[in-house]
Amino acid sequence: MNEYQCIFCGEKMDSATQQITSLLVTTNWSVEAEEEDQQVFCHLKCLKEKCKNPENILLEEDE
């Protein structure tokens, strides 16, 4: 995969110039046989902006 798009702001992300952040979304967590996973991408800044408590995300963006 060479193209990434931020799930929050919708902007395309260039892996050559931007830090790509990936989230793994798992549904049906409590029933292992029914679990489904999907990987989504975002800017770390966008993720922190959407979080109620962004201080819980300890990762820092590369400058």
Side-chain angles (χ1 to χ4, degrees), residues 34-58:
E34 296 178 15
E35 282 183 16
E36 292 186 326
D37 297 318
Q38 180 178 350
Q39 186 176 22
V40 295
F41 304 94
C42 63
H43 299 105
L44 188 54
K45 176 183 172 193
C46 291
L47 173 61
K48 287 183 176 187
E49 286 174 356
K50 298 295 183 183
C51 287
K52 182 175 181 177
N53 296 311
E55 64 274 1
N56 290 338
I57 300 174
L58 304 177

Side-chain angles (χ1 to χ4, degrees), residues 2-63:
N2 294 329
E3 292 187 21
Y4 301 89
Q5 181 178 4
C6 179
I7 194 167
F8 297 110
C9 73
E11 290 182 20
K12 289 190 177 183
M13 304 167 70
D14 180 5
S15 61
T17 60
Q18 295 177 310
Q19 179 178 334
I20 306 296
T21 301
S22 155
L23 301 174
L24 183 62
V25 179
T26 304
T27 61
N28 301 318
W29 182 264
S30 61
V31 183
E32 187 173 345
E34 296 178 15
E35 282 183 16
E36 292 186 326
D37 297 318
Q38 180 178 350
Q39 186 176 22
V40 295
F41 304 94
C42 63
H43 299 105
L44 188 54
K45 176 183 172 193
C46 291
L47 173 61
K48 287 183 176 187
E49 286 174 356
K50 298 295 183 183
C51 287
K52 182 175 181 177
N53 296 311
E55 64 274 1
N56 290 338
I57 300 174
L58 304 177
L59 302 171
E60 295 295 328
E61 282 192 271
D62 290 341
E63 303 260 348

